[in-house]
């Protein structure tokens, strides 16, 4: 008898962001194929994939045009790098397209392969920029608690989910974390959203002053904090934050790895929330995740200093073998064409409210539901122990995870971020599938309530 792939997996694969001992006990869910918003296990079971994998498979799981774009490029030019002035047309065309759509004027695009590499790239650029300007003291980068920017050494340091730092000797020097914007839990009794946002912004400014503004170089922020629990910025917060970063001559960086390409109901989360970044990182939906690719856009102010600094060094000595890989670039280009042809942003504006209003209408009154929040086609339902006092569950209970697993039993893939259950279906999800997401989540929530009642 051949061994099952589950057994082979357990004996061979070290999984990212997975508890190894529970994995040894429970094994993997092996997915064999995809179709639209659905994926199928090896046993043929169908799952409605309402997490888009990891917020990324925007066009679902079998868009043939993307497969064909990859195949065409593999046959024409499967590889060429961009080092030492080499180039190829997929990278050029993709860079042009990205610059045309950027939410604030951008000058150049640097390609990498993942959100983490893009984050590492902006950290290096911030440091290089200030060294080139002769400001060797100005190096600290502010990220936010519960922000997620990746898991390589610099990106993992920017990430403010502190469990990710434990035992890895992170964060590295020159990364500091500001408060997370979470109105539901963070506001004082009676504090309006605007007042809360203004308070956080003034706390940020105090932090900069305490550190010494001459030492603080940049701030990075996700327009909506994804992995931190789908946390929306309080009204007025980003306007104030950007005023402060400008005042202290800091660069402002938008991490659009999740928000980019329609997720929030505009092409960029920066447009939804009024951000004017100096640099922007993006990945995931850039290629609908069909091929690994990420991009960093830099504005002219940054680019011009990079040119001068590189002149002194002799080159801009940063990059990856697969920066702008032609196959990934060709897939991303095709993906962006599809977004335009199918007016994906319009689609999100139409379907987003069906999901979010549906969650609110059906579940906001549920005794376990503290808050339903979201924008566009990203949403979260936060489960709490006490609705009135907003008291959280003991994390060891694993309530969010229980609910997520129950949803899976009902053929629905969701993601538990602590006790917030995140929804980010492919942008091609249909109205009928959106209803199905609500129905199946309702089953999972009911089962979670029964389980808690029985304890
Ligand atoms: C906002 C954000 N930035 C960066 C990353 C890191 O991307 P990657 O996993 O491709 O390195 C992620 C991943 O989820 C993310 O959500």
């Amino acid at each position: 008898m051949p061994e099952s792939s589950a057994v082979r997996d357990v004996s061979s694969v070290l999984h990212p962001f997975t508890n190894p001992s529970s994995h040894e006990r429970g094994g993997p869910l092996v997915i064999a194929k995809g179709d639209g918003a659905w994926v199928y296990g090896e046993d043929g079971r169908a799952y409605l994939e309402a997490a888009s994998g990891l917020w990324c498979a925007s066009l679902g799981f079998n868009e043939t045009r993307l497969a064909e774009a990859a195949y065409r490029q593999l046959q024409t030019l499967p590889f060429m790098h961009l080092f030492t002035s080499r180039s190829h047309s997929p990278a050029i065309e993709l860079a042009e397209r990205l610059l045309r759509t950027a939410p604030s004027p951008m000058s150049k695009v640097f390609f990498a392969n993942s959100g983490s590499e893009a984050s590492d790239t902006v950290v290096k650029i911030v440091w290089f920029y200030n060294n080139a300007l002769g400001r060797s003291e100005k190096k600290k980068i502010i990220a936010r608690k519960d922000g997620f920017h990746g898991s390589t050494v610099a990106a993992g340091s920017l990430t403010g989910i502190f469990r990710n730092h434990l035992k890895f000797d992170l964060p590295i020097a020159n990364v500091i974390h500001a408060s997370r914007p979470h109105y539901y839990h963070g506001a004082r009794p009676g504090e309006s959203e605007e007042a809360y946002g203004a308070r956080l912004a003034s706390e940020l400014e105090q932090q900069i002053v305490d550190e010494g503004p001459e030492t603080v170089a940049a701030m990075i922020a996700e327009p909506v904090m994804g992995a931190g629990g789908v946390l929306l910025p309080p009204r007025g917060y980003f306007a104030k934050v950007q005023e402060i970063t400008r005042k202290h001559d800091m660069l402002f960086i938008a991490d659009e790895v999740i928000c980019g390409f329609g997720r929030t109901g505009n092409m960029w989360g920066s447009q939804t929330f009024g951000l004017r970044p100096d640099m922007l990182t993006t990945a995931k939906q850039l290629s609908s995740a069909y091929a690994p690719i990420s991009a960093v856009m830099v504005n002219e102010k940054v680019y011009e200093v990079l040119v001068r600094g590189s002149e002194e060094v002799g080159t801009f000595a940063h990059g990856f073998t697969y920066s702008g890989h032609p196959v990934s670039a060709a897939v991303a280009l095709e993906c962006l064409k599809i977004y335009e042809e199918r007016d994906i942003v319009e689609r999100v504006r139409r379907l987003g409210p069906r999901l979010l209003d549906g969650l609110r209408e059906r579940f906001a009154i549920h005794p376990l539901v503290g808050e339903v929040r979201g924008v566009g086609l990203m949403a979260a339902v936060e489960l709490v122990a006490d609705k009135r006092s907003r008291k959280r569950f003991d994390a060891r209970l694993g309530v969010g995870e229980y609910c997520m697993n129950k949803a899976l039993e009902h053929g629905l893939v969701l993601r538990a971020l602590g006790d917030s259950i995140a929804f980010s279906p492919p942008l091609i999800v249909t109205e009928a599938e959106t209803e199905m997401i609500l129905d199946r989540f309702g089953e999972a929530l009911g089962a979670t309530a029964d389980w808690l009642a029985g304890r």
Side-chain angles (χ1 to χ4, degrees), residues 137-276:
E137 287 283 285
K138 203 169 172 72
K139 294 290 165 57
K140 292 175 192 161
I141 303 178
I142 299 186
R144 296 175 302 170
K145 290 174 187 151
D146 278 351
F148 189 79
H149 301 286
S151 47
T152 48
V153 173
S157 298
L158 295 176
T159 290
I161 300 169
F162 297 122
R163 187 169 73 164
N164 297 7
H165 296 165
L166 293 178
K167 298 204 188 337
F168 285 120
D169 289 355
L170 297 181
I172 52 171
N174 285 326
V175 174
I176 49 185
H177 293 92
S179 310
R180 66 175 180 165
H182 196 347
Y183 181 61
Y184 176 71
H185 281 301
R188 293 175 180 150
E191 192 173 35
S192 73
E193 199 178 317
E194 284 83 354
Y196 172 64
R199 175 160 64 82
L200 283 195
S202 63
E203 281 172 18
L204 170 73
E205 176 146 40
Q206 191 56 51
Q207 196 173 8
I208 294 167
V209 170
D210 292 347
E211 292 285 339
E214 70 289 352
T215 70
V216 185
M219 175 161 183
I220 184 164
E222 301 158 77
V224 177
M225 288 169 68
V230 188
L231 304 184
L232 274 73
R235 260 189 295 279
Y237 164 83
F238 269 131
K240 290 206 159 49
V241 163
Q242 291 177 100
E243 225 174 270
I244 291 162
T245 54
R246 267 194 303 276
K247 177 171 155 195
H248 294 292
D249 197 9
M250 295 160 58
L251 296 173
F252 185 73
I253 305 152
D255 180 336
E256 292 264 11
V257 166
I258 285 180
C259 293
F261 309 104
R263 179 61 68 189
T264 67
N266 283 293
M267 191 49 94
W268 303 99
S270 291
Q271 291 162 328
T272 305
F273 298 104
L275 310 189
R276 305 270 302 164

